[in-house]
Amino acid sequence: MNFYLRYFDKEVLVDNVDDAIAFLADIPEIGMNPVLEDDVRSYCTSDVYYPKRYKVRPRVYFIIIKTDAPTMLDFKEKRAIHPSLERIEKPMAPALVRLNEELFGWYEGSLDFKRVLMVPGTGKFQYRDTHFVAQCKAISGMDCYNRIVEYLRERVDERSQFPSAKGKNFKFRFLGFCK
């Protein structure tokens, strides 16, 4: 494990804690003391891989980063990123996979949407949360959503707001095959 240290334009990549402390001690503004030395040593020996920032004075810091890079060039070009810090792509949620899965048959879809209704006493309009459930023939969950929204758009005020098919306000289930 190597350590990258930087204070303004002074930087170094060292392979042990003693060299890191020696680098910091050579910078007079930092003011190396036993408390700071113990803190640097404890960070360097810990299992934490996040960069550590130390305050020198208000709005002035030096930074220590743990890395597996053997040289400064490798570190600068990010060739040795620690495996636990690499961005791991999340697999698609099962509901989103099922949404586009083609299976012709009967579906039951439920949709919670904002419907525009006129208040009879005042003549003003307001949004009301509305729950709608329908059974329809469709090719997929997405097709079920499109059919329900198309049906509702013809029958409710055009200012009504429909949720995304991928959101939590649309649910569907496959009821069975059809002929």
Side-chain angles (χ1 to χ4, degrees):
M1 177 68 52
N2 292 330
F3 307 102
Y4 170 79
L5 292 92
R6 185 181 73 220
Y7 179 73
F8 288 107
D9 61 344
K10 298 173 185 162
E11 61 184 3
V12 70
L13 185 71
V14 295
D15 60 355
N16 62 48
V17 182
D18 294 327
D19 290 343
I21 291 172
F23 169 76
L24 295 171
D26 288 343
I27 303 171
E29 296 95 27
I30 290 178
M32 182 56 78
N33 59 41
V35 174
L36 182 59
E37 183 178 339
D38 289 341
D39 197 41
V40 169
R41 283 185 191 279
S42 67
Y43 169 73
C44 290
T45 57
S46 71
D47 292 335
V48 177
Y49 284 94
Y50 294 105
K52 179 81 175 190
R53 196 170 72 150
Y54 290 93
K55 189 173 193 174
V56 176
R57 59 182 183 272
R59 296 189 303 265
V60 176
Y61 300 88
F62 71 88
I63 189 169
I64 301 176
I65 300 173
K66 292 182 179 180
T67 181
D68 292 327
T71 66
M72 184 68 84
L73 180 64
D74 289 340
F75 176 77
K76 295 283 183 164
E77 293 180 358
K78 298 180 181 160
R79 291 185 191 155
I81 296 175
H82 194 272
S84 68
L85 296 178
E86 286 183 27
R87 181 172 291 229
I88 300 169
E89 285 192 34
K90 295 180 186 176
M92 236 187 200
L96 293 179
V97 171
R98 288 184 330 135
L99 188 64
N100 292 316
E101 183 179 285
E102 291 192 7
L103 189 61
F104 183 69
W106 285 96
Y107 286 84
E108 180 179 80
S110 71
L111 185 72
D112 296 324
F113 68 101
K114 301 278 188 192
R115 183 176 185 179
V116 174
L117 293 172
M118 184 175 73
V119 178
T122 62
K124 294 182 180 180
F125 293 90
Q126 69 178 14
Y127 285 103
R128 288 258 173 101
D129 289 331
T130 306
H131 182 73
F132 183 80
V133 179
Q135 294 178 353
C136 62
K137 282 185 186 178
I139 298 171
S140 65
M142 190 66 182
D143 186 38
C144 174
Y145 170 82
N146 290 334
R147 287 174 185 260
I148 290 172
V149 170
E150 181 181 318
Y151 174 84
L152 288 171
R153 284 194 195 277
E154 295 172 1
R155 288 163 177 77
V156 298
D157 191 297
E158 63 186 27
R159 295 171 289 183
S160 297
Q161 298 174 356
F162 298 99
S164 167
K166 298 175 186 174
K168 65 181 180 182
N169 291 324
F170 173 68
K171 294 177 181 62
F172 70 95
R173 65 186 177 111
F174 182 70
L175 298 175
F177 294 102
C178 65
K179 295 180 182 180

